[in-house]
Amino acid sequence: MSDKPINAPSGADPDARPLSELGWRPFFQQQLDLVEFENTQPVRVVAVHRNALHVVGEHLSLTVPPIAVSDPEEAATIGDWLLLDPNIPRVVRRLDRISVFKRKAPGTGRAVQLIAANVDTLMIVSSCNQDFNIARLERYLALARAADVTPVIVLTKADQSDAPEDYRRQAEALMPLLCVETLDATNVTEVKALHPWCGPGQTIAFVGSSGVGKSTLTNSLLDQSDIATQEIREDDAKGRHTTTHRALYPLPSGGWVLDTPGMRELQLTESEDGVAALFEDIEELSRKCRFQNCAHETEPGCAVQQAIAAGDLDAGRLHRWRKLLAENERNSQSIAEARAKDRALGRMYREVLRHKNRRE
Ligand SMILES: Nc1nc2c(ncn2[C@@H]2O[C@H](COP(=O)(O)OP(=O)(O)OP(=O)(O)O)[C@@H](O)[C@H]2O)c(=O)[nH]1
Ligand SMILES: [Mg+2]
Ligand SMILES: [Zn+2]
């Protein structure tokens, strides 16, 4: 046990890595024009601090000021690729992302919070104990589908459970072809089961509640114990999270692993496609309902209710689908409103400035 804060990755030297091992792809390369090609260097964000970004490139690892943006969704987040003018050094611009995870910022605010960009595999971590919760797993799966990222479910603490296989079966039933690994996160050999997703240039991210073993998994993949994990939750420390910052670590296998703090609240936003993809069976059934706007309650000719009556669809699943859809719509709407308001405010400021400049 250690309560040491997380720092930049120790172990392997990130500076020595070729671009391809940093996750550089043709998708990013194609975004550079000739001038940028000759005068800038691509770097990847491995940690985001309050007023600085830690970036790593082919022969460099340094801290730079963040890019100034008015829309928080445009800000650089962990995993982003940036073009750096190495002479100043200054970030010239952020490159378009292959994927990005976001959620509604916790609390009553209406902002979006970026979680990570350019992740290849989302490792959804839960434990073979009372943390295991179907609705929560579905929420993460919808998030992964919405971001077009491959989800894998990692069920930890298999060593402390009498029936890890039961948990595995329940998780596997959530989506066709879903990969589920049950393991002891403290066991380096067992954690090798995750290696297929950790090859050179591949980025995986661990997400899940506090205490499920995300940092333990990260340490096992790194074959070290540098990242703080916490054994006992004292009564007064209830809800305190061991990991407080997101950080990207280079793996000996050539990939990257993102350890994240446990999320108390994961509210979906703008993830309608993800929810639809995850609940494809229900979406498919609803197309067979007699009425196009069927609410699947007491309407005659409702294919969804018929499937429930026939035992082909679990009523709980229908309930969870409704809940996620409603939540996503509510959040997407309030965020759209907030954005419109921001735009209107922006227009007003520009107008005032123009007016002022004209008078000067
Ligand atoms: N026996 C056993 N213990 C585990 C396993 N996974 C995690 N633990 C223990 O559970 C505790 C919490 O693990 P962490 O890795 O700190 O959890 P975390 O998900 O990073 O938590 P936050 O950083 O708070 O989000 C630690 O004491 C780990 O040693 C496992 O598979 N088996
Ligand atoms: Mg942690
Ligand atoms: Zn219906």
Side-chain angles (χ1 to χ4, degrees):
M1 177 176 154
S2 138
D3 54 7
K4 176 164 77 166
I6 289 186
N7 283 314
S10 57
D13 178 13
D15 305 5
R17 301 196 141 218
L19 270 187
S20 60
E21 278 196 19
L22 284 167
W24 186 247
R25 313 259 165 94
F27 174 84
F28 303 115
Q29 178 94 28
Q30 283 156 8
Q31 298 177 45
L32 271 65
D33 63 30
L34 209 59
V35 177
E36 288 173 334
F37 190 78
E38 283 175 358
N39 301 305
T40 66
Q41 234 176 313
V43 289
R44 192 149 190 216
V45 180
V46 294
V48 179
H49 307 294
R50 191 177 291 275
N51 287 311
L53 304 170
H54 180 190
V55 297
V56 171
E58 195 147 35
H59 299 292
L60 44 87
S61 164
L62 75 166
T63 306
V64 292
I67 324 170
V69 287
S70 52
D71 179 355
E73 283 184 66
E74 293 302 319
T77 190
I78 196 144
D80 260 325
W81 277 101
L82 310 174
L83 292 182
L84 185 84
D85 179 342
N87 300 319
I88 303 188
R90 179 182 66 93
V91 175
V92 179
R93 71 178 175 107
R94 174 178 65 74
L95 297 179
D96 286 345
R97 299 154 173 156
I98 286 182
S99 65
V100 61
F101 288 112
K102 54 191 175 183
R103 64 166 170 172
K104 179 182 157 289
T108 50
R110 301 193 294 185
V112 168
Q113 186 191 34
L114 298 178
I115 303 168
N118 303 319
V119 167
D120 298 295
T121 311
L122 190 71
M123 298 276 171
I124 303 166
V125 188
S126 182
S127 298
C128 299
N129 57 28
Q130 66 282 7
D131 176 77
F132 187 91
N133 176 307
I134 292 288
R136 177 155 3 91
L137 291 175
E138 282 172 339
R139 195 169 279 263
Y140 278 112
L141 286 171
L143 181 80
R145 295 297 300 253
D148 264 331
V149 166
T150 314
V152 170
I153 293 189
V154 184
L155 300 176
T156 58
K157 311 197 184 181
D159 54 308
Q160 294 177 340
S161 163
D162 294 332
E165 284 309 307
D166 287 353
Y167 290 100
R168 176 205 283 274
R169 267 194 297 276
Q170 287 185 61
E172 277 172 347
L174 292 177
M175 212 178 90
L177 303 175
L178 180 64
C179 286
V180 180
E181 300 292 341
T182 46
L183 43 74
D184 169 2
T186 63
N187 183 318
V188 173
T189 311
E190 286 189 25
V191 174
K192 288 209 166 89
L194 305 185
H195 275 191
W197 293 279
C198 303
Q202 291 292 309
T203 305
I204 68 166
F206 288 123
V207 291
S209 316
S210 193
V212 294
K214 299 178 295 297
S215 299
T216 307
L217 285 164
T218 306
N219 278 329
S220 291
L221 279 177
L222 295 169
D223 206 356
Q224 61 164 37
S225 54
D226 287 8
I227 304 169
T229 60
Q230 188 165 264
E231 211 150 332
I232 305 152
R233 267 155 224 285
E234 294 151 28
D235 276 353
D236 64 338
K238 209 169 152 221
R240 200 182 72 198
H241 294 215
T242 308
T243 305
T244 52
H245 284 98
R246 281 166 289 157
L248 205 50
Y249 301 89
L251 290 171
S253 54
W256 287 83
V257 57
L258 172 66
D259 185 18
T260 68
M263 287 182 213
R264 266 196 214 97
E265 188 187 322
L266 173 67
Q267 286 260 315
L268 293 185
T269 178
E270 297 165 323
S271 302
E272 199 180 322
D273 294 352
V275 177
L278 183 62
F279 293 90
E280 217 169 46
D281 52 340
I282 302 184
E283 301 265 341
E284 173 117 24
L285 283 169
S286 15
R287 282 192 282 274
K288 294 185 191 137
C289 293
R290 186 179 307 161
F291 302 110
Q292 224 179 359
N293 61 350
C294 183
H296 322 305
E297 277 159 10
T298 52
E299 291 89 341
C302 173
V304 175
Q305 286 300 340
Q306 275 163 17
I308 291 175
D312 295 335
L313 176 70
D314 169 28
R317 199 168 144 77
L318 173 66
H319 175 71
R320 298 193 302 270
W321 173 66
R322 279 208 182 103
K323 237 178 109 178
L324 272 188
L325 267 189
E327 167 193 311
N328 182 62
E329 194 177 305
R330 199 169 51 242
N331 290 336
S332 305
Q333 225 166 39
S334 65
I335 283 163
E337 276 166 24
R339 272 197 202 114
K341 218 180 245 170
D342 283 351
R343 271 199 300 276
L345 259 180
R347 265 199 304 276
M348 194 182 88
Y349 287 141
R350 278 194 297 278
E351 202 50 46
V352 169
L353 273 181
R354 206 167 342 151
H355 211 73
K356 186 166 162 263
N357 291 344
R358 235 184 275 140
R359 280 191 314 204
E360 276 169 4

